[in-house]
Amino acid sequence: MEHADLLPRDAAVQLIDADGATVVDEQYAMPGADTLLAAYRGLVEGRRINDQASALVRQGRLAVYPSSHGQEACQIGAALAMSDDDWLFPTYRDSVAVIARGVAPAEAMVLLKGDWHSGYDVREHHVAPQATPLATQLLHAVGFAYAAKQRGEDTVVIALCGDGATSEGDFHEAMNFAAVFHVPVVFFVQNNGFAISVPLSRQTAAPSLAHKAIGYGMPGRRVDGNDVAAVLAVLGEAVDRARAAGGPTLVEAHTYRMQAHTNADDDTRYRERAEVQAWVARDPLARLRAHLSDIGALTAELEAEYAAGAERIAAAMREALNTDTDIDPEDLFRFVTETRSPQLEEQWQMLRGEVERTRAAETGATAQATPGGAR
Amino acid sequence: MEHADLLPRDAAVQLIDADGATVVDEQYAMPGADTLLAAYRGLVEGRRINDQASALVRQGRLAVYPSSHGQEACQIGAALAMSDDDWLFPTYRDSVAVIARGVAPAEAMVLLKGDWHSGYDVREHHVAPQATPLATQLLHAVGFAYAAKQRGEDTVVIALCGDGATSEGDFHEAMNFAAVFHVPVVFFVQNNGFAISVPLSRQTAAPSLAHKAIGYGMPGRRVDGNDVAAVLAVLGEAVDRARAAGGPTLVEAHTYRMQAHTNADDDTRYRERAEVQAWVARDPLARLRAHLSDIGALTAELEAEYAAGAERIAAAMREALNTDTDIDPEDLFRFVTETRSPQLEEQWQMLRGEVERTRAAETGATAQATPGGAR
Amino acid sequence: MTIAHDDVRVDERSTSVSTMSMAAALNLALADAIQSDPEVVVFGEDVGALGGVFRITDGLTARFGEERCFDTPLAESGIVGTAVGMAMNGMRPVVELQFDAFALPAFEQIVSHVAKLGNRTRGVVRMPLVIRIPFGGGIGGVEHHCDSSEAYYAHTPGLTVLSPSTPQDAYSMLRAAIASPDPVVFLEPKKLYWTKGEVDTSVMAEVGTARIARDGTDVTLLAYGASVPLALEAAEVAASEGRSVQVVDIRSLSPFDDATVTAAVRATGRAVVIAEAPGYASVASEIQARVFERCFEYLEAPVRRVTGFDTPFAPPKLEHWYLPDVDRVLDAIDSLHWEDECREDES
Amino acid sequence: MTIAHDDVRVDERSTSVSTMSMAAALNLALADAIQSDPEVVVFGEDVGALGGVFRITDGLTARFGEERCFDTPLAESGIVGTAVGMAMNGMRPVVELQFDAFALPAFEQIVSHVAKLGNRTRGVVRMPLVIRIPFGGGIGGVEHHCDSSEAYYAHTPGLTVLSPSTPQDAYSMLRAAIASPDPVVFLEPKKLYWTKGEVDTSVMAEVGTARIARDGTDVTLLAYGASVPLALEAAEVAASEGRSVQVVDIRSLSPFDDATVTAAVRATGRAVVIAEAPGYASVASEIQARVFERCFEYLEAPVRRVTGFDTPFAPPKLEHWYLPDVDRVLDAIDSLHWEDECREDES
Ligand SMILES: Cc1ncc(C[n+]2csc(CCOP(=O)(O)OP(=O)(O)O)c2C)c(N)n1
Ligand SMILES: Cc1ncc(C[n+]2csc(CCOP(=O)(O)OP(=O)(O)O)c2C)c(N)n1
Ligand SMILES: [Mg+2]
Ligand SMILES: [Mg+2]
């Protein structure tokens, strides 16, 4: 049938099965051992970051953390599939991918700590701010890629979203604009089975999310999202196509959100423990460890080295987050617009007065709890 | 391949070709001669309504008219595919379908005449107000069908939109909600090649608009939108499926907007005359007339009867629209909310005063042009 | 008891008073509405098994079934748009949008249809639907979780906009909203979800009316939502400083209760409007302008307002610098040209 | 000439004055911006071959190519969302949304991203984009084609909201908007598209400033967009009745030029605000409230406003009953407690 190349296969692409065994695929080659080792290191670090961040929430050092525990193969796969000049458009759940792209963990956590709305220099790292309003960032990715294409740059953009986000109108508009304008974007949907409490079955009646691609005239692909080798291969193909001016691709990864939506969520209300338990056996780390051990690439020394590296990252996170940052209240006004208006200056002035009175009161040893408390 | 039943065929379904010859289709049967005669009568009336309305615009009796000249097979096909209890959710371009469902032409023209935002009793005719904000009505159709389904009624809803409207986020959300909730809606897209000046190629890169259906898990169908027999057959199948609790269908009709977007538009700016001319040969009336004559169903008497009927409708339209309706300015306040607030009463009171002063001034033979002019 | 003067005790059922949180009162209102009207349906994101991210719909699906309370796909325009269609077909949808900022994708449906369909159809089609939105700050939420969008809705003709500040009003006003033939945007001050108070379930609120939350003779504070307890707190402090402060809970943001507010401010001659939202072109500006215009001859001093800054909402760590607080309210009161001071601040 | 006091004559080019319609002035501004800055791109629905439904982009594609002016798929959130991404990547998008009501699908992108990205990234990412929207009534358009949505944008922190009322300002303000590092919602009063005036293309407007459109000493009319010519007309009639009426063209709806407006009203002691949009919680209420608060001691009478009703916009045949008109403005002026009359209207 015509256009069949746009349709995903019935089964997700897998290169390493849940036991670590190689799966031979006619279309997608197994990445080399070095690549897989680098990916494994990323998975170890990513898992450690997830678990450290969750611990920091329990200790009250982070306001909230949407963990990607269980989705690390997607996170690391996305980060490694990109070149240095490529751009990532992540969501709130993609802190591990953001960090894997080079952002310091403490900077990646600024949003979740509550210090500011975003904490890293997006231009330095080529990582857009983590988006909260669902699917909105997909359009930004399209526009960004459009500008790059117009300038003749060979930048590729990877835009991340979840299964739930595919239901939003912005998802549709982003896919369509990308296809019509033929821009170098890879849409990477991490289908982790849930949008907070809502299961995939309530999100779509389609054979798969990747089947949406043909409706835009772009290729759709399904990949085992817990198999980093497959993720790298499928994203790699899509990134190559984009870079070669072949247009956008929609890639759906089948994975699972192993923890609650965030620490504030109680997932016992809406899913069986047995379901969660069943996914433990498909853990992305375990299978890659098994595979790399089987092929003799992962030695005990390397394993120890990776663990130590991950531990260092975790220690740095703890240190950074256990220190209270001094946030200047005047930042509320500093960045609203580049042009300063008398209207805002007037309000800023009022705040400045309150801040000064509060500081004076504090240093005057009559510290008060409320701002402007020097009344 | 799996789910192939959800994909449309590569070519649109056609039962009568442009010359009026029968096309045998394995899946879709040719409607009976009586049905085709009724459809032909509808086409004749629809064409007359379109052309009369356009004339009334030129005469300044209508503010604007988005003509469906050339799309009458879709308009009449949709209206005839429905049972009395079914509901239609039309757009601004679907006046002919609205009238074919039983709305008086003069009532259907209230919006375009500028008297009010909608002029017919939606409950009496089972026709929602003609929607202007694109694709928004598709969601209303889904909600409406949901309520009917919950109550166990066997109402089917046909929701109309254009090719341009498929790019809107609301199109996506409506398709998805319909599929997930498995409601009895038929989405009927009249792909007339243009969204004002923008051609389909700028609207989508998909093999067809009907290919979007599989991304929602519903069947997609393509039909020759200038072949009313095919439209009736394909919509009929979809309506039957919906009524039998088989869920929604997306039907794309390939047709052509023979005139400018509205009278206010100048289509010479963006399309070649030759392109328009090429579609004359595919006219929905001519081919059905040829077919019905060929099979001996259409006699000269019938033809004359239909023409006379269409002429009566046109005359009634002229009469209704040449009469200036007396519109009460207080209607501005009368329907805003059912509960009346002192806040609105206060403003209403002001307007009432102005109206009374103006009327008094007018009857006092000192009529003034401006409202409140009795100052 | 905090029952407003205009509210009515519905006779159909016996009085039942108990103490509960605002969240529980809202939950009870939904349950009672579902039970008493077969056309009421509750839906949105995560309102089913989870009971909503704030648990306002807790237990409704379990108790009344999927037909009466259910989850939708994740699409706010879809939620409101289907609600419009259901309302056209006889249902009374009560939808939840998860946070203020996540109501924005539904804005076109709300403005172009929810607000206008009744008018468009000359009253043939009414829109008896309720859009519930947890609104405002004060809970340390990250960006997009703490906005106050009431101005967008209040400015839109055709919408009724309500916000309760007590468990009693939460119950009585939500029942009234669901019973209303007109569309209601129901803004729930999320900061107050866990504050407790007595609730008399036999009371149905009168839409469009304000509530005198505290009597006072020197100055009137006009507030709604989470700013009402703030106003009461400021009034308490001011009382200790010798000023008698009246507090009016606006609670109906649109339509506006001019009668109550005008009478209140004319009596005291001084007023301060308090709201969390950015002040510019806001509900607070409207109240300020109305009061000014209607009480001009009675005012001892300009009406002041204490609002959020005209900046995006603050990150959690700076939230307390952004939100109106007692000191700012007291400062505003102090600026109201008291006889014991010389007037000199009009420069 | 109607060049505002604060506007600057840009030296880079020689003065060139000619008479043209506002539509032509906007078209010229776009062309000049495209020509002078390689990062400027114009896009939206029907802006290419058609030149826009109001022909504001007429000829741009033909002259500068598809790269600089092009049609998009029909999706407003898509248009604004991709513009955000382009702006992140160094472009200066100028997008057209076809009518006020059709900007609403983009509302989430505008409020949650366009307005906030600069703040979110601590100024690292700026949003130098312009959203052009033909706004207001007066052209006999059917439902959804005549709204005035400025309040939604003006209330949103982070957005600059501008509206010209003369061909000169149309040119100078659009150039300034495109040059601005901050996002601008540019509201074009469609009723004035075909009014003509002189345009000096060497003038760049100063964002954030109002313009004194007519001098006067008895009362100040504060207006913007299509209400400015209305105010001038009313001033003319009032003059014939012996009243000297000042007219201020607000033109920068956000930020607001308090300095000019406060000085103007303090001088006359009387003010009327005029706007087409529904008055409730609007830009008009903001102006009224600000003027009240800042000019309280100087006011001879309450500030009045003449606005659209708090109802959906009228159908074409009733439009003239909906829109502010000269008589309503004159009535408002008459109500301003003139010394020659007894004050008795404050009941
Ligand atoms: C427009 C919008 N609506 C609602 C929300 C609230 N919300 C945050 S995350 C979430 C679920 C998202 O699910 P999914 O896209 O599958 O991503 P996941 O969290 O599983 O990674 C919801 C409803 C939001 N952030 N944005
Ligand atoms: C949300 C929205 N955006 C823009 C418009 C302005 N507009 C009216 S009709 C139209 C083109 C629609 O094209 P299509 O959907 O193909 O329908 P057709 O007019 O061809 O029947 C546009 C852009 C609108 N009505 N609603
Ligand atoms: Mg998910
Ligand atoms: Mg079309």
Side-chain angles (χ1 to χ4, degrees), chain A residues 89-91 117-118 120 122 127-131 137, chain D residues 88 117 120-121 125:
Chain A
F89 279 72
T91 77
H117 313 298
S118 176
Y120 49 89
V122 304
V127 179
Q130 289 178 265
Q137 77 282 2
Chain D
M88 285 181 76
L117 253 164
R120 182 176 305 145
T121 61
V125 173

Side-chain angles (χ1 to χ4, degrees), chain C:
Chain C
M1 294 267 13
T2 58
I3 296 169
H5 182 257
D6 294 293
D7 295 352
V8 288
R9 188 157 270 121
V10 181
D11 270 342
E12 57 170 78
R13 43 190 306 166
S14 55
T15 307
S16 138
V17 181
S18 47
T19 300
M20 64 184 78
S21 67
M22 181 184 283
L26 292 164
N27 181 266
L28 187 60
L30 291 172
D32 287 355
I34 290 175
Q35 201 152 43
S36 63
D37 183 344
E39 295 301 351
V40 171
V41 280
V42 173
F43 56 98
E45 294 158 11
D46 303 295
V47 298
L50 184 63
V53 292
F54 289 108
R55 305 291 185 273
I56 307 301
T57 57
D58 193 19
L60 296 181
T61 302
R63 190 166 153 207
F64 300 106
E66 277 269 334
E67 300 73 38
R68 309 302 299 281
C69 178
F70 57 92
D71 291 326
T72 64
L74 210 170
E76 294 78 11
S77 189
I79 291 168
V80 174
T82 47
V84 167
M86 292 182 198
M88 285 180 77
N89 201 357
M91 285 184 156
R92 288 189 174 265
V94 182
V95 304
E96 174 173 307
L97 301 180
Q98 221 159 59
F99 288 88
D100 258 77
F102 309 144
L104 301 176
F107 202 59
E108 181 191 30
Q109 285 287 350
I110 295 174
V111 173
S112 290
H113 294 301
V114 173
K116 294 191 178 131
L117 252 164
N119 188 62
R120 183 177 304 145
T121 61
R122 303 176 73 88
V124 170
V125 172
R126 281 289 165 207
M127 282 287 113
L129 63 83
V130 178
I131 300 174
R132 294 181 39 244
I133 312 175
F135 97 117
I139 60 157
V142 295
E143 201 191 359
H144 307 291
H145 290 77
C146 300
D147 304 291
S148 294
S149 313
E150 64 271 23
Y152 300 141
Y153 306 113
H155 178 62
T156 305
L159 298 178
T160 299
V161 185
L162 305 179
S163 185
S165 77
T166 65
Q168 177 67 61
D169 272 358
Y171 182 88
S172 310
M173 289 169 67
L174 185 51
R175 290 301 304 272
I178 298 172
S180 169
D182 299 311
V184 177
V185 174
F186 195 85
L187 300 169
E188 302 170 0
K190 60 178 94 74
K191 188 189 170 187
L192 304 184
Y193 271 148
W194 304 281
T195 56
K196 293 195 169 180
E198 277 191 352
V199 175
D200 178 342
T201 55
S202 71
V203 175
M204 176 85 90
E206 176 71 17
V207 171
T209 62
R211 182 175 62 83
I212 307 290
R214 179 190 168 110
D215 286 321
T217 53
D218 293 341
V219 52
T220 305
L221 302 182
L222 302 163
Y224 54 85
S227 298
V228 175
L230 167 64
L232 291 169
E233 202 187 325
E236 204 58 50
V237 179
S240 73
E241 296 178 358
R243 263 173 197 149
S244 169
V245 180
Q246 182 188 41
V247 176
V248 179
D249 181 350
I250 298 297
R251 74 179 197 160
S252 177
L253 279 48
S254 175
F256 189 77
D257 185 353
D258 284 308
T260 301
V261 171
T262 304
V265 179
R266 286 186 181 183
T268 61
R270 291 182 172 85
V272 176
V273 187
I274 313 169
E276 285 184 23
Y280 197 81
S282 65
V283 172
S285 5
E286 176 63 35
I287 299 175
Q288 193 182 14
R290 285 183 106 74
V291 168
F292 255 126
E293 195 170 350
R294 285 155 204 258
C295 306
F296 187 65
E297 310 274 308
Y298 301 79
L299 290 174
E300 304 289 341
V303 180
R304 299 291 184 199
R305 69 183 180 208
V306 177
T307 67
F309 297 124
D310 293 327
T311 68
F313 196 85
K317 293 273 180 64
L318 293 180
E319 188 180 48
H320 60 294
W321 288 104
Y322 181 89
L323 291 171
D325 65 6
V326 169
D327 282 309
R328 287 188 192 149
V329 175
L330 294 175
D331 284 348
I333 294 176
D334 283 351
S335 78
L336 298 177
H337 301 177
W338 298 94
E339 280 98 57
D340 39 65
E341 295 157 23
C342 55
R343 298 184 180 194
E344 45 87 72
D345 56 7
E346 281 306 300
S347 57

Side-chain angles (χ1 to χ4, degrees), chain B residues 87-206:
Chain B
W87 272 70
L88 183 72
F89 280 71
T91 77
Y92 52 89
R93 196 174 302 288
D94 303 312
S95 300
V96 166
V98 169
I99 293 169
R101 287 288 293 161
V103 173
E107 289 184 0
M109 299 291 153
V110 162
L111 165 70
L112 305 167
K113 195 180 170 196
D115 287 359
W116 196 253
H117 314 297
S118 175
Y120 48 88
D121 183 331
V122 305
R123 296 210 187 285
E124 183 188 340
H125 300 289
H126 292 197
V127 179
Q130 288 178 268
T132 300
L134 296 165
T136 55
Q137 77 281 5
L138 306 178
L139 282 163
H140 307 168
V142 171
F144 197 95
Y146 182 95
K149 180 184 165 188
Q150 283 305 111
R151 280 201 294 268
E153 296 163 3
D154 71 350
T155 313
V156 171
V157 176
I158 294 192
L160 307 179
C161 76
D163 46 313
T166 65
S167 295
E168 289 281 5
D170 271 9
F171 171 85
H172 175 69
E173 300 188 13
M175 298 280 288
N176 195 41
F177 273 61
V180 167
F181 290 124
H182 207 67
V183 294
V185 176
V186 178
F187 297 103
F188 186 41
V189 180
Q190 291 168 75
N191 174 358
N192 63 5
F194 287 89
I196 308 187
S197 69
V198 181
L200 186 71
S201 58
R202 190 52 12 154
Q203 215 60 251
T204 185

Side-chain angles (χ1 to χ4, degrees), chain A residues 116 118 121-123 133 136 139-140 143-144 146 148 150-151 170 173 177 331 335 337-339 341 343 346, chain D residues 67 70 75 77-78 81-82 84-86 88-89 108-109 113 119-120 122 124-126 182 255-256 290 294:
Chain A
W116 196 253
S118 176
D121 184 331
V122 304
R123 297 211 186 283
T136 55
L139 282 163
H140 307 169
F144 197 96
Y146 182 94
Q150 283 304 109
R151 280 201 296 267
D170 272 10
E173 299 188 14
F177 273 61
D331 282 359
F335 312 109
T337 45
E338 181 141 328
T339 321
S341 71
Q343 181 185 326
E346 198 181 288
Chain D
E67 299 72 37
F70 56 92
S77 190
T82 46
V84 167
M86 292 181 197
M88 285 181 76
N89 201 358
E108 181 191 29
Q109 285 287 351
H113 293 301
N119 188 61
R120 182 176 305 145
R122 304 176 73 87
V124 170
V125 173
R126 281 292 166 205
D182 299 311
F256 189 79
R290 284 181 107 74
R294 284 156 203 259

Side-chain angles (χ1 to χ4, degrees), chain A residues 162-164 190-195:
Chain A
D163 46 313
Q190 291 168 74
N191 173 358
N192 63 7
F194 286 88

Side-chain angles (χ1 to χ4, degrees), chain B:
Chain B
M1 82 134 261
E2 214 188 340
H3 310 294
D5 52 321
L6 300 179
L7 284 171
R9 302 183 192 169
D10 285 338
V13 174
Q14 192 183 56
L15 297 180
I16 301 176
D17 74 14
D19 301 321
T22 299
V23 178
V24 177
D25 190 282
E26 296 199 349
Q27 197 182 344
Y28 298 98
M30 177 73 81
D34 284 356
T35 305
L36 291 181
L37 275 178
Y40 182 67
R41 169 185 215 131
L43 293 185
V44 170
E45 293 176 357
R47 176 64 49 87
R48 190 69 192 86
I49 291 166
N50 274 324
D51 295 345
Q52 179 61 70
S54 295
L56 285 163
V57 170
R58 288 190 296 274
Q59 293 151 25
R61 305 305 309 179
L62 281 180
V64 63
Y65 185 70
S67 179
S68 63
H69 186 118
Q71 300 176 217
E72 290 93 348
C74 295
Q75 299 284 306
I76 299 303
L80 293 186
M82 307 171 73
S83 304
D84 280 352
D85 286 342
D86 294 344
W87 272 70
L88 183 72
F89 280 71
T91 77
Y92 52 89
R93 196 174 302 288
D94 303 312
S95 300
V96 166
V98 169
I99 293 169
R101 287 288 293 161
V103 173
E107 289 184 0
M109 299 291 153
V110 162
L111 165 70
L112 305 167
K113 195 180 170 196
D115 287 359
W116 196 253
H117 314 297
S118 175
Y120 48 88
D121 183 331
V122 305
R123 296 210 187 285
E124 183 188 340
H125 300 289
H126 292 197
V127 179
Q130 288 178 268
T132 300
L134 296 165
T136 55
Q137 77 281 5
L138 306 178
L139 282 163
H140 307 168
V142 171
F144 197 95
Y146 182 95
K149 180 184 165 188
Q150 283 305 111
R151 280 201 294 268
E153 296 163 3
D154 71 350
T155 313
V156 171
V157 176
I158 294 192
L160 307 179
C161 76
D163 46 313
T166 65
S167 295
E168 289 281 5
D170 271 9
F171 171 85
H172 175 69
E173 300 188 13
M175 298 280 288
N176 195 41
F177 273 61
V180 167
F181 290 124
H182 207 67
V183 294
V185 176
V186 178
F187 297 103
F188 186 41
V189 180
Q190 291 168 75
N191 174 358
N192 63 5
F194 287 89
I196 308 187
S197 69
V198 181
L200 186 71
S201 58
R202 190 52 12 154
Q203 215 60 251
T204 185
S208 83
L209 294 172
H211 275 81
K212 294 183 185 294
I214 194 170
Y216 306 98
M218 71 171 82
R221 301 287 179 258
R222 303 170 72 173
V223 64
D224 180 338
N226 286 15
D227 171 6
V228 77
V231 171
L232 282 169
V234 172
L235 283 183
E237 176 213 11
V239 167
D240 289 348
R241 179 185 305 113
R243 203 173 321 274
T249 303
L250 171 64
V251 178
E252 175 191 13
H254 296 271
T255 181
Y256 195 79
R257 202 193 70 210
M258 295 300 289
Q259 302 186 340
H261 175 67
T262 67
N263 52 290
D265 180 36
D266 173 9
D267 68 337
T268 61
R269 287 180 156 250
Y270 54 80
R271 62 180 183 183
E272 299 294 333
R273 287 313 88 189
E275 182 186 312
V276 182
Q277 220 38 51
W279 278 85
V280 172
R282 304 189 223 170
D283 187 73
L285 274 76
R287 81 168 73 171
L288 186 56
R289 185 187 306 114
H291 180 80
L292 286 172
S293 303
D294 285 356
I295 65 169
L298 187 64
T299 59
E301 295 82 66
L302 273 180
E303 182 88 70
E305 182 190 322
Y306 296 169
E311 211 39 67
R312 276 193 303 276
I313 295 175
M317 275 174 75
R318 283 195 302 274
E319 196 187 303
L321 292 166
N322 282 326
T323 324
D324 268 322
T325 23
D326 195 25
I327 315 158
D328 185 354
E330 292 185 47
D331 281 359
L332 284 178
F333 288 93
R334 207 157 264 140
F335 311 110
V336 181
T337 45
E338 180 140 331
T339 321
R340 296 189 169 176
S341 71
Q343 181 185 325
L344 272 194
E345 291 285 349
E346 198 180 289
Q347 299 176 20
W348 189 342
Q349 198 53 44
M350 183 195 117
L351 178 70
R352 195 175 289 137
E354 290 183 352
V355 172
E356 278 162 12
R357 284 200 300 282
T358 307
R359 293 236 171 93
E362 277 167 12
T363 52
T366 54
Q368 305 221 1
T370 49
R375 192 185 138 72

